[in-house]
Amino acid sequence: MNNTPFMVFSGTKSRYLAEEICKELDCKLGQMNTTYFADGEFAAQVVSYVSKIYYQLDNIPLAIAYAQKSVKADSNSSRWAWLGTLYLTTGDYDMALQTFLHVAQINPNHPLIDLHISLAYQALNNLEQAKNHFSMAYQKDKEAVIRFLESNPD
């Protein structure tokens, strides 16, 4: 297969057709995990990638919408942290804080979660909590905090 700038994704009922299309177009069949819900709805893991694409296109409302779908499909801490980062970016500091605190509950060892909580508290002008969480982040992984701050000077 060549390095085409696109992939084809398939649902569960059309995989054979998608494979044939990929052969014809000489492209990759993208991997997609599907989660089914009790009400018959389903969501695919690909939505987390779609969220990041919309973010890069500066369409933050759609990035948030797809991030919300992503955490519904698969509630891992990295997806929740991404959603919190989007809230922080838009200035929805209460939702960012709530989301980051949720990440800390489901994965207290998530890299830099205390730093993100600190940023949300700082934005909410709760400087005491911001200082506490910054200290916790720094104690857990000093080098990671420094790298983050160097790469995000604002």
Side-chain angles (χ1 to χ4, degrees):
M1 290 205 191
N2 70 21
N3 290 326
T4 54
F6 61 90
M7 284 191 244
V8 171
F9 290 90
S10 167
T12 57
K13 296 188 184 205
S14 58
R15 184 163 182 89
Y16 173 76
L17 176 61
E19 289 169 350
E20 293 301 309
I21 290 170
C22 288
K23 285 179 194 173
E24 188 67 29
L25 297 176
D26 194 27
C27 69
K28 291 182 179 182
L29 179 61
Q31 189 168 357
M32 186 167 75
N33 297 331
T34 307
T35 303
Y36 294 90
F37 301 100
D39 63 0
E41 291 280 325
F42 71 93
Q45 184 176 0
V46 74
V47 297
S48 65
Y49 302 115
V50 173
S51 172
K52 291 180 181 176
I53 290 168
Y54 277 119
Y55 176 77
Q56 291 173 342
L57 294 172
D58 277 338
N59 191 332
I60 306 303
L62 278 177
I64 290 173
Y66 278 94
Q68 290 168 334
K69 289 179 185 182
S70 179
V71 297
K72 183 179 178 186
D74 182 1
S75 187
N76 76 39
S77 60
S78 293
R79 291 201 175 113
W80 278 101
W82 171 246
L83 180 58
T85 301
L86 290 171
Y87 287 137
L88 198 61
T89 301
T90 63
D92 193 346
Y93 305 128
D94 287 317
M95 283 301 294
L97 178 61
Q98 182 180 345
T99 305
F100 291 141
L101 289 171
H102 178 73
V103 173
Q105 282 183 336
I106 60 176
N107 184 1
N109 297 321
H110 186 280
L112 298 177
I113 192 57
D114 287 303
L115 181 60
H116 285 86
I117 291 170
S118 172
L119 294 172
Y121 274 126
Q122 180 182 2
L124 290 167
N125 207 30
N126 186 335
L127 301 182
E128 189 62 35
Q129 285 291 346
K131 179 181 167 187
N132 290 341
H133 282 276
F134 182 85
S135 294
M136 290 189 315
Y138 194 78
Q139 287 172 7
K140 286 180 184 176
D141 194 340
K142 175 182 174 180
E143 288 80 21
V145 169
I146 291 170
R147 279 192 310 275
F148 179 87
L149 295 174
E150 288 175 343
S151 64
N152 298 283
D154 296 335

